[in-house]
Amino acid sequence: MFCRVWSMVIHGVEAVPVRVEADVSDGMPMFTIVGYVSAQVREAQDRVRTALRNLGIVLPPKRIVINLAPADIRKDGSRFDLPIAAAVLQAVGRIPPGSLEDTMMIGELGLNGDIQAVNGVLSSVLEARRIGMKACILPKANLPEGRQAEVKETYGISSLRELLAYCCGAKPEEEPYCESRQSGGKGQKPEPEDLTADVSEPEEDFDDILGQEGVKRAALISACGFHNLLLIGPPGSGKSMAARRIPTILPPMTREEQLEVTRLYSIAGLLPSGQSLIRRRPFRAPHHSITAQALVGGGRFPSPGEITLAHRGVLFLDELPEMSRRVLELLRQPLEEHRILISRQEGTYLFPANFVLVAAMNPCPCGYYPDRERCRCTDPEISRYLGKVSQAFLDRMDLCTEVPAVSCETLMQRSREKKKDGLTSVKMRQIVVCARQMQEERYRGSVVRFNSELKAGQIEKYCPLTPEASRMMAQAYDSLGLSARGFHRVLKVARTIADMEACETIGTAHVGEALCCRSMDKKIWRV
């Protein structure tokens, strides 16, 4: 007897529907799984047979063939255990025909028939919703994550016995997820999303950083427009402290962004235990010895790298010149296109990579240039050190800020204060949220969300300049030796600074500050 059920395979970061076909016929007793499967999938035959036997279900001594179609996509992992078991049970008559019509299921089987959790559940349920599946059956441990996709008939089961009961008409104990958490009820419009929600006082606060008002200002501009930021300064000046506090002032993620990030972390197996939805923007800080494959993603069967895991969040690269130049150059294309396209013999894999790059570095090997009283590096040593970061890479950094050493007077004065009255992360985030709302209104109906995402053809429309600001930009283009890319990035930063002051037209003060944020790299790389 032939039967078919539906499942999903993860291809890169996308879920692809898979037809799990089972045929039980006369012939030499055997259990075969075909359809470009990995060793993990082939092992399912032993898990399924043993689990059924421990439940008192003995398969007939017949020829059992399982086909996972389409056969040109590699199937990996243990997620196919449950659909294979369901297809076999239906083929031998233990499950009524048609009871699993238009139902997607995934799950790993234990030898006692229990259903174990798997990765990539959210992507699978979202794809099932897109293609019109009526129901989804998931491991009970993955049910909170699966329900984030808002599919009406989403059920969680913990064993094959519950699957058999479901197919006979008994629903699991949990009530299916019927309405969106954002809607007021059936037929009502969803309430507008509150961008100021989930704004609590963070554990790490910008107020902990003593002095460094220029660094705080640069971090604020970066967060408002999602601009890349390069911090240059001597050791111990607070570069890493500032970078690690940038996520505390980033605008809250929209529902769509939360689903995007959760989907990626679920596929990578990094979804925190007990957390079905990631609500805070990611912060990834790989070590400077990271390989190209670990940073960008790849391998024979590509998986997400660090820059994909930083999607919609922050990627922090400390000790930038200590990283391999080849690794740094691989970042150039993702910084422009906000995605990574990896081609392999089996096909192409597209990974999202829309993140804020925050990098930190010393100005020389010892870290004290241009202070010649402390710096003992020779000019060739400094040139070799700075030469590890190419001008093409620097051109993609919107903001370049010096982080000077903090004086003892500042440290002593602040240590005597009893209360915090500086620029805190909560205050900074309020400014960021206001600027974000202006950008949301301006770009409503387009794919652009932040000023940093503007394309060259959109600059003239969304970045109007006063006549004085236009003349300033023309002069700066020649005096600073800006490239066309650098010119556009200055305008996008000026657009963000204007948004922070609620100005629709960009003035000379906005352009002047944006140009100051581009001049630091010219000073350092002049050696």
Side-chain angles (χ1 to χ4, degrees), residues 48-62:
V48 170
R49 190 188 295 274
T50 305
L52 293 178
R53 186 181 68 247
N54 288 331
L55 292 177
I57 302 174
V58 179
L59 296 178
K62 294 188 176 183

Side-chain angles (χ1 to χ4, degrees), residues 83-101:
I84 289 174
V88 171
L89 288 171
Q90 190 170 354
V92 299
R94 298 300 297 264
I95 291 180
S99 58
L100 296 176
E101 188 78 17

Side-chain angles (χ1 to χ4, degrees), residues 243-367:
R244 293 186 181 279
R245 283 157 176 76
I246 288 179
T248 67
I249 64 173
L250 288 175
M253 289 194 291
T254 63
R255 173 70 175 177
E256 180 185 351
E257 289 174 332
Q258 290 173 355
L259 291 176
E260 282 185 70
V261 175
T262 304
R263 183 169 62 99
L264 295 173
Y265 276 69
S266 176
I267 290 172
L270 298 176
L271 195 63
S273 177
Q275 186 174 347
S276 61
L277 186 69
I278 295 179
R279 301 182 184 275
R280 296 186 180 274
R281 295 189 181 273
F283 179 82
R284 306 294 297 183
H287 192 262
H288 60 77
S289 62
I290 189 171
T291 63
Q293 181 176 322
L295 182 67
V296 179
R300 183 181 177 188
F301 303 104
S303 58
E306 286 292 331
I307 63 176
T308 297
L309 295 175
H311 182 62
R312 302 297 180 190
V314 176
L315 176 66
F316 175 47
L317 301 182
D318 201 2
E319 304 294 344
L320 189 68
E322 300 297 338
M323 299 184 70
S324 165
R325 177 156 183 167
R326 173 175 173 269
V327 172
L328 290 180
E329 295 305 303
L330 287 175
L331 283 170
R332 287 163 51 179
Q333 185 177 3
L335 287 174
E336 287 291 325
E337 301 181 0
H338 304 305
R339 64 175 189 171
I340 307 162
L341 187 64
I342 299 176
S343 298
R344 292 293 183 268
Q345 185 176 358
E346 292 79 10
T348 58
Y349 299 78
L350 186 63
F351 296 96
N354 192 352
F355 57 91
V356 175
L357 175 61
V358 180
M361 59 176 289
N362 297 331
C364 68
C366 74

Side-chain angles (χ1 to χ4, degrees), residues 91-403:
V92 299
R94 298 300 297 264
I95 291 180
S99 58
L100 296 176
E101 188 78 17
D102 292 332
T103 299
M104 187 279 297
M105 61 178 65
I106 54 177
E108 178 184 340
L109 268 181
L111 297 184
N112 60 350
D114 289 345
I115 309 297
Q116 309 297 329
V118 294
N119 296 334
V121 169
L122 184 56
S123 286
S124 302
V125 180
L126 287 171
E127 179 63 17
R129 182 183 68 179
R130 189 190 70 81
I131 64 177
M133 290 286 176
K134 295 179 181 178
C136 296
I137 298 179
L138 313 171
K140 185 174 290 186
N142 292 127
L143 183 59
E145 177 189 346
R147 281 183 169 173
Q148 298 297 332
E150 301 175 0
V151 175
K152 184 176 182 180
E153 300 287 337
T154 302
Y155 300 100
I157 61 175
S158 58
S159 67
L160 280 178
R161 292 189 187 278
E162 292 186 19
L163 175 65
L164 293 171
Y166 169 85
C167 295
C168 294
K171 302 299 181 184
E173 294 180 2
E174 297 90 355
E175 290 294 326
Y177 188 84
C178 296
E179 300 294 337
S180 168
R181 68 174 181 86
Q182 292 181 299
S183 64
K186 189 173 182 179
Q188 297 183 13
K189 293 183 179 180
E191 297 179 359
E193 192 153 7
D194 183 9
L195 288 179
T196 62
D198 192 30
V199 180
S200 56
E201 187 170 355
E203 295 181 2
E204 293 184 328
D205 199 295
F206 264 100
D207 195 56
D208 298 332
I209 301 177
L210 309 181
Q212 307 294 15
E213 297 304 320
V215 177
K216 295 180 183 179
R217 176 67 177 179
L220 183 60
I221 297 172
S222 173
C224 286
F226 239 57
H227 298 290
N228 299 325
L229 173 63
L230 176 61
L231 303 173
I232 305 176
S237 57
K239 302 186 295 295
S240 298
M241 284 185 65
R244 293 186 181 279
R245 283 157 176 76
I246 288 179
T248 67
I249 64 173
L250 288 175
M253 289 194 291
T254 63
R255 173 70 175 177
E256 180 185 351
E257 289 174 332
Q258 290 173 355
L259 291 176
E260 282 185 70
V261 175
T262 304
R263 183 169 62 99
L264 295 173
Y265 276 69
S266 176
I267 290 172
L270 298 176
L271 195 63
S273 177
Q275 186 174 347
S276 61
L277 186 69
I278 295 179
R279 301 182 184 275
R280 296 186 180 274
R281 295 189 181 273
F283 179 82
R284 306 294 297 183
H287 192 262
H288 60 77
S289 62
I290 189 171
T291 63
Q293 181 176 322
L295 182 67
V296 179
R300 183 181 177 188
F301 303 104
S303 58
E306 286 292 331
I307 63 176
T308 297
L309 295 175
H311 182 62
R312 302 297 180 190
V314 176
L315 176 66
F316 175 47
L317 301 182
D318 201 2
E319 304 294 344
L320 189 68
E322 300 297 338
M323 299 184 70
S324 165
R325 177 156 183 167
R326 173 175 173 269
V327 172
L328 290 180
E329 295 305 303
L330 287 175
L331 283 170
R332 287 163 51 179
Q333 185 177 3
L335 287 174
E336 287 291 325
E337 301 181 0
H338 304 305
R339 64 175 189 171
I340 307 162
L341 187 64
I342 299 176
S343 298
R344 292 293 183 268
Q345 185 176 358
E346 292 79 10
T348 58
Y349 299 78
L350 186 63
F351 296 96
N354 192 352
F355 57 91
V356 175
L357 175 61
V358 180
M361 59 176 289
N362 297 331
C364 68
C366 74
Y368 296 107
Y369 178 82
D371 183 1
R372 281 303 186 179
E373 293 184 0
R374 304 181 67 184
C375 178
R376 295 294 182 265
C377 301
T378 64
D379 287 346
E381 289 175 338
I382 298 174
S383 297
R384 282 194 300 270
Y385 182 79
L386 297 177
K388 296 179 181 179
V389 183
S390 68
Q391 287 296 325
F393 181 87
L394 288 173
D395 218 22
R396 289 163 170 81
M397 304 302 292
D398 303 310
L399 306 166
C400 184
T401 303
E402 183 178 12
V403 188

Side-chain angles (χ1 to χ4, degrees), residues 25-32 60-65:
S25 57
D26 295 333
M28 181 177 295
M30 61 183 301
F31 197 125
T32 305
K62 294 188 176 183
R63 179 185 178 89
I64 301 175
V65 178

Side-chain angles (χ1 to χ4, degrees), residues 462-478:
Y462 292 114
C463 300
L465 298 170
T466 63
E468 295 79 6
S470 296
R471 288 193 292 270
M472 179 181 288
M473 281 300 304
Q475 295 172 358
Y477 185 80
D478 294 328

